[in-house]
């Protein structure tokens, strides 16, 4: 991997307080990601309040995904040219704006607009914060763990906190967001200590210098892939696998609360929040405590298949215990595949296009939400939750197997250069 020299004006900033800098970046990342799942336990309340059903719930969720994917395509690499700090600030500001919209929402239109804004904030933060952490932290393994912990940790905190608050406070569809807005203000204060980590870097392959002042205007950009056929296959394999795991996220982020309420008879919003949050907590634990040797494509695919089978058993038997067990397995799969993909992405990138490659990786992730969730929404209307979820499970597992097959082909035909890139530790001595 290309390691560029630090410019004189950035070196003191980057190394003055590295722990504080990483902590601040991770905190802002966590807070913004929490906004993506804050709405999940509240869908059942909005459905009653505004009179919409499961398909409309899916449409509201898709509005969020459209915001994410559109931003990744238009401005996913913005921080490579504009700098990490301005983009982090913009993401936080859009998060606060969307939160204000949710707090004042009086109909479906405001919900849709607020979800799109929340998606735009997420699209900006994912590639930017992941790149900023990789800029500061030496060691691909540590950077991947921190990034995935902030990403999925935020998702889990958002849904659990929203469920608990919604159950025990008055006017939950308003109060939850006023509380979150206060958290955004704290994140804004922490942003003040974040140093600028983006820099000019020399692309030795192309023999040119990437200028931070260039290409600042948002425009539709072609997803970036690493150089070399074997590297592309490795990257795409990881992208396909994380897209497959996104189908599970989509189900839990849209229709799982309604299933818990209607099919399992769970009316307590705190329990619904914890039930959905179990997926993200399991993912968080899998990626933070699992030894690097076990963070593999085959392990993640196996966990995903087992998780989907057990969840389907729960849906057909209407049993809570298999649902919890399946959720734990599926969450572990999500965390494993996500962390593995981030490690591969970081190994195949360089400082000059780090945000671009990260944006492409997250494009795989969020694009993987669209088809499964739309399929689930339409099928749920036509044939019910159990049959539609079976179709979703089949799609998720088959996509994961395709990604695994592509990854194995890469391992069997990979060039020595690729293998060295994926296994050589950084100067700190940490594993990739």
């Amino acid at each position: 991997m290309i390691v560029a020299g630090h410019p004189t004006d950035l070196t003191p900033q980057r190394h003055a307080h590295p722990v504080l800098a990483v902590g601040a970046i991770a905190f802002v990342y966590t807070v913004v990601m929490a906004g993506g799942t804050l709405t999940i336990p509240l869908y059942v309340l909005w459905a009653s309040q505004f009179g919409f059903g499961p398909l409309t719930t899916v449409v509201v969720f898709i509005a969020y995904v459209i915001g994410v994917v559109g931003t990744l395509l238009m401005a996913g690499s913005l921080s490579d040219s504009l700098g990490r700090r301005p983009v982090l600030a913009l993401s936080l500001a859009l998060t606060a704006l969307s939160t204000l919209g949710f707090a004042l929402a009086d109909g479906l239109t405001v919900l849709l607009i607020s979800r799109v804004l929340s998606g735009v904030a997420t699209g900006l933060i994912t590639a930017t914060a992941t790149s900023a952490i990789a800029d500061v932290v030496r060691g691909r393994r540590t950077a991947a763990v921190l990034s995935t912990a902030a990403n999925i940790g935020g998702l889990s905190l958002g849904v659990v906190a929203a469920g608990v608050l919604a159950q025990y406070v008055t006017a939950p569809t308003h109060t939850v967001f006023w509380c979150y807005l206060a958290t955004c203000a704290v994140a804004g204060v922490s942003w003040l200590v974040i140093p600028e980590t983006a820099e000019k870097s020399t692309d030795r392959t192309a023999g040119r210098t990437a200028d931070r002042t260039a290409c600042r205007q948002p425009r539709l950009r072609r997803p970036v892939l690493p150089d070399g056929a074997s590297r592309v296959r490795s990257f795409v394999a990881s992208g396909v696998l994380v897209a497959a795991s996104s189908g599970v996220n989509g189900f839990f982020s849209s229709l799982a609360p309604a299933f818990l309420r209607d099919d399992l008879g769970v009316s307590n919003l705190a329990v619904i929040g914890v039930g959905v949050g179990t997926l993200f907590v399991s993912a968080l634990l899998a990626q933070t405590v699992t030894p690097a040797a076990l963070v593999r494509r085959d392990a993640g695919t196996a966990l995903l298949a087992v998780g989907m089978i057990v969840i389907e058993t729960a849906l057909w038997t209407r049993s809570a215990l298999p649902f919890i067990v399946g959720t734990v397995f599926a969450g572990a799969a999500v965390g494993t595949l996500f962390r593995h993909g981030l490690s591969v992405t970081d190994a195949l990138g360089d400082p000059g296009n780090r945000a671009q490659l990260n944006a492409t990786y997250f494009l795989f992730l969020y694009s993987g939400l669209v088809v499964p969730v739309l399929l689930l929404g339409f099928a749920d209307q036509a044939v019910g939750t159990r049959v539609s979820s079976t179709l979703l499970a089949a799609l998720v597992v088959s996509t994961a197997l395709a990604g695994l097959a592509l990854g194995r082909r890469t391992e069997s035909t990979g060039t020595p250069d690729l293998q060295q890139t994926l296994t050589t530790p950084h100067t700190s001595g940490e594993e990739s």
Side-chain angles (χ1 to χ4, degrees), residues 336-425:
T336 300
L337 293 174
F338 183 66
R339 177 177 156 189
H340 176 271
L342 273 185
S343 297
V344 171
T345 302
D346 185 51
L348 297 177
D350 68 78
N353 74 344
R354 181 170 281 144
Q356 286 182 300
L357 202 58
N358 278 322
T360 304
Y361 175 70
F362 283 106
L363 191 60
F364 272 106
L365 190 154
Y366 284 100
S367 297
L369 288 170
V370 178
V371 174
V373 172
L374 279 176
L375 171 67
L376 190 61
F378 283 110
D380 186 80
Q381 294 283 94
V383 294
T385 304
R386 290 186 290 182
V387 175
S388 61
S389 65
T390 301
L391 294 174
L392 173 68
L395 178 61
V396 165
V397 174
S398 59
T399 303
L401 290 174
L404 181 63
L406 180 60
R408 285 184 172 174
R409 182 185 170 196
T410 300
E411 290 167 2
S412 63
T413 62
T415 64
D417 191 36
L418 172 64
Q419 298 304 322
Q420 182 179 2
T421 301
L422 292 175
T423 58
T424 302

Side-chain angles (χ1 to χ4, degrees), residues 111-395:
L111 288 184
L112 288 170
I113 294 172
S114 298
R115 275 308 258 168
V116 171
L117 288 175
S118 178
V120 172
T122 301
L124 288 172
I125 197 79
T126 48
T128 303
T130 300
S131 300
I133 290 173
D135 291 339
V136 177
V137 176
R138 292 190 178 276
R140 287 192 290 265
R141 178 183 173 188
T142 302
V145 170
L146 287 172
S147 296
T148 50
N151 186 299
I152 298 187
L155 296 176
S156 60
L157 285 172
V159 66
V160 172
V164 172
L165 282 173
Q167 181 62 34
Y168 299 111
V169 300
T170 57
T173 54
H174 303 289
T175 307
V176 166
F177 297 104
W178 292 123
C179 293
Y180 178 62
L181 200 57
T183 307
C184 290
V186 176
V189 174
S190 71
W191 172 85
L192 296 173
V193 304
I194 295 176
E196 181 54 69
T197 62
E199 58 185 70
K200 293 181 181 180
S201 64
T202 302
D203 186 339
R204 291 186 295 192
T205 303
R208 64 180 180 272
T209 298
D211 191 349
R212 286 180 54 201
T213 60
C215 304
R216 293 188 179 184
Q217 293 298 323
R219 59 185 175 83
L220 188 63
R221 300 176 189 274
R222 181 178 60 85
V224 171
L225 295 173
D227 294 325
S230 190
R231 291 169 182 261
V232 169
R233 283 196 299 270
S234 180
F235 179 72
V236 171
S238 299
V240 170
L241 283 166
V242 81
S245 70
S246 292
V248 185
N249 285 348
F251 170 69
F252 277 83
S253 299
S254 56
L255 295 184
F259 163 73
L260 289 170
R261 182 194 60 185
D262 299 336
D263 293 283
L264 295 185
V266 178
S267 58
N268 188 299
L269 292 175
V271 175
I272 290 176
V274 171
V276 175
T278 299
L279 178 84
F280 302 112
V281 172
S282 177
L284 177 62
L285 291 175
Q287 60 200 0
T288 53
V289 303
T290 303
L294 297 180
V295 182
R296 300 174 55 86
R297 296 185 183 103
D298 49 4
T301 303
L303 287 169
L304 189 62
V306 171
M308 295 309 296
I309 291 171
V310 178
I311 287 173
E312 282 307 303
T313 301
L315 293 174
W316 284 94
T317 61
R318 297 190 176 184
S319 173
L321 182 59
F323 182 81
I324 294 170
V325 173
T327 299
V328 170
F329 274 100
V334 169
T336 300
L337 293 174
F338 183 66
R339 177 177 156 189
H340 176 271
L342 273 185
S343 297
V344 171
T345 302
D346 185 51
L348 297 177
D350 68 78
N353 74 344
R354 181 170 281 144
Q356 286 182 300
L357 202 58
N358 278 322
T360 304
Y361 175 70
F362 283 106
L363 191 60
F364 272 106
L365 190 154
Y366 284 100
S367 297
L369 288 170
V370 178
V371 174
V373 172
L374 279 176
L375 171 67
L376 190 61
F378 283 110
D380 186 80
Q381 294 283 94
V383 294
T385 304
R386 290 186 290 182
V387 175
S388 61
S389 65
T390 301
L391 294 174
L392 173 68
L395 178 61

Side-chain angles (χ1 to χ4, degrees), residues 75-129:
S77 61
L78 191 62
S79 72
D80 278 338
S81 56
L82 192 63
R84 313 289 189 223
R85 292 187 84 242
V87 179
L88 289 172
L90 178 59
S91 175
L92 199 52
L94 289 172
T95 298
L97 185 60
S98 71
T99 304
L100 189 61
F102 287 126
L104 301 176
D106 57 358
L108 183 59
T109 302
V110 179
L111 288 184
L112 288 170
I113 294 172
S114 298
R115 275 308 258 168
V116 171
L117 288 175
S118 178
V120 172
T122 301
L124 288 172
I125 197 79
T126 48
T128 303

